């Protein structure tokens, strides 16, 4: 049964995921219902959290890592098998490395009491918020005093422990007084840009306009975009970046128009064990998400759709990779790993 509101650890007025004070319930904002309804589901074991990650109740690389950490905390509380729970959580989605990173980090504390594991999970969450704030400060310095920034998917508070990676940079720039406006790509087919990025920026009073993904090149051509900033699901050792499908196209057009393409991601998204983007497993999602918009079918009944959930932007197209430790050109990503 959905519930109205937990107390967000980040201090914000909403949160993608939280652990109850007693450490026995994971509260998750059901992002599938946004922007229409703001309701949290209550999950009491790791299997339920894994299913919620798979079903995209929560999504976004850092947020699913935090959800997995809380999933292990509630599993510890009910005396479950933590190794089995960890394996289940780690395979809920394949592309974002934060999921495995968070599970490995939590399992490294075992054996520990349920109370200790809950505190370790909360620490992981707090560290993510702190990393977003630090990325914000570092990335804000790269943005102009005034201008329009294109973003794709949702790399905001909803995709992290709070504040956001790419949207954190935009928030921080505005907190510095920079006049930054946002073009949010709708992000077909799951519409994270339209449903989630517009929801959270509008709520914060950040000027945001929605465009369809295919409009981005038009606005570059008219000189209406000053920079691109996106998040990441995994950054390979050579700096190649996996992010939401459609990102690579924006990077190409940004290079064509000599505009910077920035990627903001915490170090939990950097994966020294993946040598290049070619080794990143790309999640294949249902054809149904492409041939339907809501309940409406938009293609002939016999046509199947392709649906890779992510694409890989080559490191050479990444002007700066921004982490909580600093920013480097994409091809120097390994300096931050
Ligand atoms: O399929 P999603 O919504 O989980 O994809 C999310 C993204 O691609 C985000 O851009 C990425 O996780 C960065 S979130 C800070």
């Amino acid at each position: 049964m959905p519930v109205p509101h937990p107390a967000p650890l980040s201090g914000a007025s909403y949160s993608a995921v939280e652990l109850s004070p007693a450490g026995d319930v994971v509260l998750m904002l059901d992002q599938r219902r946004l922007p229409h309804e703001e309701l949290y589901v209550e999950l009491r074991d790791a299997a339920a959290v894994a299913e919620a990650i798979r079903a995209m109740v929560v999504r976004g690389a850092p947020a699913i890592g935090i959800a997995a950490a809380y999933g292990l905390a509630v599993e510890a509380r009910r005396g479950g098998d933590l190794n089995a729970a960890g394996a289940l959580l780690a395979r809920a989605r394949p592309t974002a490395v934060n999921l495995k990173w968070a599970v490995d980090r939590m399992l490294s504390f075992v054996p520990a009491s349920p109370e200790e594991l809950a505190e370790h999970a909360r620490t992981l969450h707090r560290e993510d918020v702190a990393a977003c704030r630090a990325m914000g400060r570092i990335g804000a310095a790269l943005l102009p005093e005034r201008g329009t920034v294109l973003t794709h998917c949702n790399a905001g508070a909803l995709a992290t422990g709070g504040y956001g990676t790419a949207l954190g940079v935009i928030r921080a720039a505005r907190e510095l007084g920079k006049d930054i406006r946002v073009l949010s790509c709708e992000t077909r087919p799951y519409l994270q840009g339209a449903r989630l990025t517009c929801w959270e920026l509008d709520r914060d009073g950040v000027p945001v306009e929605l465009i369809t993904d295919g409009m981005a090149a038009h606005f570059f051509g008219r000189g209406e975009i000053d920079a691109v900033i996106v998040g990441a699901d995994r950054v390979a050792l050579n700096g190649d970046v996996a992010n939401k499908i459609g990102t690579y196209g924006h990077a190409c057009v940004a290079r064509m128009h000599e505009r910077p393409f920035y990627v903001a991601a915490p170090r939990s998204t950097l994966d020294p064990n993946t040598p290049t983007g070619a080794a990143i497993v790309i999640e294949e999602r249902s054809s149904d998400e492409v041939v339907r918009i809501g309940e409406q079918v938009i293609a002939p009944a016999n046509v199947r759709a392709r649906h890779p959930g992510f694409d890989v932007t080559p490191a050479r197209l990444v002007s700066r990779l921004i982490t909580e430790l600093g920013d480097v050109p994409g091809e120097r990503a390994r300096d931050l790993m």
Side-chain angles (χ1 to χ4, degrees):
M1 191 57 192
V3 295
H5 207 283
L9 187 146
S10 69
S13 61
Y14 62 90
S15 176
V17 60
E18 296 292 334
L19 184 64
S20 65
D24 56 345
V25 181
V26 179
L27 292 137
M28 211 178 261
L29 176 56
D30 190 343
Q31 298 192 28
R32 299 168 307 179
R33 295 172 179 256
L34 291 173
H36 308 297
E37 288 179 304
E38 193 180 325
L39 290 171
Y40 292 78
V41 292
E42 296 186 346
L43 309 168
R44 292 167 196 279
D45 58 34
V49 173
E51 175 53 24
I53 292 170
R54 194 204 59 73
M56 309 250 300
V57 176
V58 65
R59 33 62 54 202
I64 62 178
I66 296 162
Y70 284 152
L72 284 169
V74 294
E75 193 64 30
R77 174 93 188 196
R78 60 194 292 278
D81 177 338
L82 294 185
N83 285 317
L88 187 69
L89 286 159
R91 61 173 182 265
R93 293 188 72 192
T95 303
V97 71
N98 308 61
L99 195 49
K100 183 175 182 313
W101 172 86
V103 166
D104 287 349
R105 174 162 154 173
M106 288 295 289
L107 292 181
S108 76
F109 299 122
V110 175
S113 70
E115 292 73 25
E116 285 167 339
L117 280 178
E119 213 30 58
H120 284 305
R122 289 193 181 99
T123 298
L124 187 149
H125 186 167
R126 280 192 202 97
E127 285 177 6
D128 184 69
V129 179
C132 287
R133 293 258 175 202
M135 267 178 273
R137 284 191 293 276
I138 292 165
L142 299 171
L143 295 185
E145 284 304 315
R146 100 184 344 246
T148 298
V149 173
L150 180 91
T151 192
H152 191 76
C153 194
N154 171 264
L158 290 167
T160 61
Y163 201 66
T165 56
L167 299 193
V169 169
I170 291 165
R171 287 190 165 100
R174 288 189 57 87
E175 284 161 20
L176 286 176
K178 293 190 173 185
D179 181 10
I180 299 297
R181 314 177 77 79
V182 178
L183 283 184
S184 170
C185 290
E186 63 173 349
T187 319
R188 274 277 291 154
Y190 210 75
L191 305 179
Q192 290 94 329
R195 297 189 302 103
L196 308 177
T197 293
C198 288
W199 181 80
E200 61 168 273
L201 291 182
D202 185 55
R203 209 178 144 118
D204 271 11
V206 178
V208 57
E209 289 175 303
L210 177 64
I211 61 171
T212 68
D213 302 340
M215 294 176 187
H218 167 80
F219 288 111
F220 274 111
R222 293 169 59 108
E224 292 194 34
I225 297 173
D226 298 291
V228 181
I229 184 154
V230 295
D233 287 82
R234 189 184 296 235
V235 180
L237 185 63
N238 74 339
D240 291 349
V241 172
N243 192 48
K244 181 52 53 192
I245 190 74
T247 301
Y248 178 26
H250 299 317
C252 292
V253 183
R255 177 57 56 92
M256 164 83 188
H257 290 281
E258 299 176 344
R259 291 289 179 272
F261 178 86
Y262 299 127
V263 175
R267 287 178 68 248
S268 55
T269 304
L270 311 192
D271 182 10
N273 298 315
T274 297
T276 70
I280 298 174
V281 177
I282 300 294
E283 178 180 10
E284 284 288 337
R285 295 188 58 84
S286 162
S287 164
D288 228 39
E289 290 175 358
V290 178
V291 298
R292 289 172 188 271
I293 297 181
E295 293 306 303
Q296 183 72 47
V297 177
I298 59 165
N302 60 326
V303 169
R304 303 269 312 148
R306 301 288 302 272
H307 188 185
F310 301 89
D311 59 25
V312 175
T313 299
R316 66 180 181 281
L317 295 182
V318 178
S319 312
R320 303 298 292 183
L321 170 67
I322 302 157
T323 74
E324 65 272 38
L325 291 188
D327 63 297
V328 295
E331 288 174 303
R332 298 283 301 277
R334 73 171 66 213
D335 293 356
L336 296 170
M337 296 190 194

